[in-house]
Amino acid sequence: KSTTTIPFTDVGTDRWSYDAVSFVYAKGLFNGMSATSFAPESTMTRGMFVTVLGRFAGLPASLSSGIGLVTATGVNIRTGPITDSAVAGIISNKNTVVQVTSVSGDWYGIKYAEVTGFIRRDLIKIYNGNYTDLAANMYYSPYAEWACLTGIANGVAVNTFSADSDITRENMCMLLYNYALIYGKTLTKTTEKSSFTDDSLISSNAKTAVYELQQAGIINGMG
């Protein structure tokens, strides 16, 4: 439980969400809408949500649009775009995010933490720029690219991510559930399944996510 004192005047200690707000603020997952306002009644957009989830996953705050996702374990970062060049560093974990800086034949120039070098094309997946509404200068763009590269999120259409659209409760569930699957997080059942009276309104492709999170105690119904 977080003991951090929050600076937001619109989230009092008697509010049901106070502990949660304190926790996410202390962890650097959420910022306020201003220095003193959290805006607890405001909706979240898809761009906001993938940003928070990306911060939780440990993505560097320094990322900008144009990222890559390492697709194997123990990947060497080479000093030059050839296999015989020296090793500048090693990326141990699959699904690690790197900043892509250049392309050289079958190699991508990358930066990972303080290490710069090259990774072979078959060991990294690059965002292909197909979402035409993801502007490169927006704060959420690298996080949206990460979510799409991992399979955590999809666009709302072939060429549209719709980052500024409000995110629905079932879509939040889907993203959290996909994150748990891809990053190997166990959703331990802590309660029995409770069918919601508006179950018929939950999209068929979201039902597994909704009820897995409900049984894990991560979400509740509205009543």
Side-chain angles (χ1 to χ4, degrees):
K1 182 177 178 180
S2 172
T3 58
T4 298
T5 300
I6 58 177
F8 309 124
T9 57
D10 54 358
V11 183
T13 55
D14 58 343
R15 189 177 181 88
W16 65 270
S17 58
Y18 179 86
D19 287 342
V21 173
S22 176
F23 178 84
V24 296
Y25 175 73
K27 294 290 186 182
L29 303 179
F30 276 72
N31 298 316
M33 301 299 283
S34 72
T36 57
S37 172
F38 187 76
E41 300 298 335
S42 296
T43 55
M44 283 189 76
T45 64
R46 286 166 52 81
M48 288 177 182
F49 194 78
V50 293
T51 298
V52 170
L53 196 56
R55 289 171 178 165
F56 179 75
L59 272 63
S62 60
L63 287 176
S64 58
S65 183
I67 66 167
L69 190 76
V70 176
T71 57
T73 58
V75 172
N76 289 326
I77 302 172
R78 299 284 179 176
T79 55
I82 53 174
T83 304
D84 293 337
S85 61
V87 176
I90 298 175
I91 295 178
S92 301
N93 299 322
K94 183 179 179 181
N95 289 331
T96 295
V97 172
V98 297
Q99 186 72 62
V100 176
T101 57
S102 63
V103 182
S104 181
D106 288 334
W107 297 77
Y108 285 102
I110 64 98
K111 182 177 181 181
Y112 173 59
E114 301 303 316
V115 178
T116 57
F118 295 85
I119 293 178
R120 207 172 60 229
R121 184 184 292 267
D122 61 320
L123 298 173
I124 188 172
K125 186 191 299 184
I126 305 298
Y127 171 66
N128 61 12
N130 64 306
Y131 295 121
T132 56
D133 61 342
L134 276 184
N137 62 342
M138 296 304 294
Y139 73 91
Y140 52 65
S141 291
Y143 299 100
E145 294 172 14
W146 159 77
C148 294
L149 285 173
T150 56
I152 290 170
N154 295 311
V156 300
V158 175
N159 299 117
T160 307
F161 186 80
S162 198
D164 291 322
S165 297
D166 288 345
I167 190 168
T168 62
R169 284 168 57 82
E170 69 171 27
N171 195 214
M172 286 184 182
C173 290
M174 291 175 70
L175 268 61
L176 288 169
Y177 180 69
N178 290 341
Y179 174 84
L181 289 180
I182 290 165
Y183 282 88
K185 308 297 182 183
T186 301
L187 294 173
T188 303
K189 288 182 171 58
T190 60
T191 187
E192 294 298 317
K193 180 178 178 180
S194 176
S195 294
F196 299 119
T197 55
D198 56 357
D199 175 85
S200 62
L201 300 179
I202 302 172
S203 300
S204 58
N205 62 338
K207 286 192 177 185
T208 296
V210 168
Y211 284 111
E212 287 289 326
L213 267 64
Q214 178 260 318
Q215 291 175 89
I218 295 173
I219 65 161
N220 298 313
M222 296 298 287

